[in-house]
Amino acid sequence: SLTCKNAAKNINLYADINGKTMQVTKSEDNSKYQYQVSFSDENKNLPSGRYDLKFYDEDGYTNLRKAQRSGEGASSVASLFTITVSHPGVWKGPMVQTEFVAATVAILVWYLAYTARSKLQSS
């Protein structure tokens, strides 16, 4: 949770992550979280790791766009604040498929039933 020192409200914020700039969404209701930002990309473009989200106001965003047009990086423009997000990576599914587990259990049950039947018939 972040608050402004001068109690500024209803300001437009922009977020920059890995050179992609996007507008931060404002919530219309009086919820606890008034601003939200989300991003998505191909799995190969967002490997697991830590990502710095830099936030800018209108003036900072203008300066950022000028710096990008002139070939400078985002590091040349001071951001309002930065939040580090830890991305654990993409879940690639279980190591053993459920079909394999079900087939193994079925074979085990069949084997136990068959051996028990054989023991009963032999005695």
Side-chain angles (χ1 to χ4, degrees):
S1 175
L2 298 169
T3 55
C4 296
K5 290 181 183 177
N6 60 359
K9 294 185 181 196
N10 294 326
I11 58 173
N12 291 324
L13 292 177
Y14 299 88
D16 179 71
I17 179 168
N18 290 346
K20 291 184 180 179
T21 308
M22 62 205 78
Q23 188 168 12
V24 177
T25 305
K26 286 191 285 189
S27 175
E28 293 297 323
D29 59 358
N30 290 330
S31 66
K32 182 178 178 183
Y33 305 107
Q34 294 181 1
Y35 293 92
Q36 291 182 345
V37 63
S38 63
F39 59 95
S40 63
D41 205 347
E42 296 284 329
N43 294 337
K44 62 183 176 184
N45 296 336
L46 284 175
S48 62
R50 298 172 76 75
Y51 293 94
D52 290 330
L53 277 99
K54 297 178 180 180
F55 290 85
Y56 301 92
D57 59 359
E58 291 280 346
D59 295 333
Y61 177 68
T62 303
N63 292 335
L64 177 66
R65 297 297 294 160
K66 285 180 185 177
Q68 288 173 337
R69 280 194 300 269
S70 66
E72 299 175 28
S75 59
S76 63
V77 179
S79 61
L80 289 176
F81 57 93
T82 302
I83 296 176
T84 301
V85 176
S86 178
H87 174 52
V90 178
W91 187 63
K92 296 186 171 135
M95 292 182 67
V96 179
Q97 293 185 353
T98 55
E99 294 88 356
F100 176 75
V101 173
T104 304
V105 169
I107 291 170
L108 180 64
V109 168
W110 174 82
Y111 174 76
L112 292 173
Y114 184 77
T115 55
R117 186 183 115 199
S118 297
K119 286 181 185 178
L120 284 174
Q121 286 181 347
S122 66
S123 49

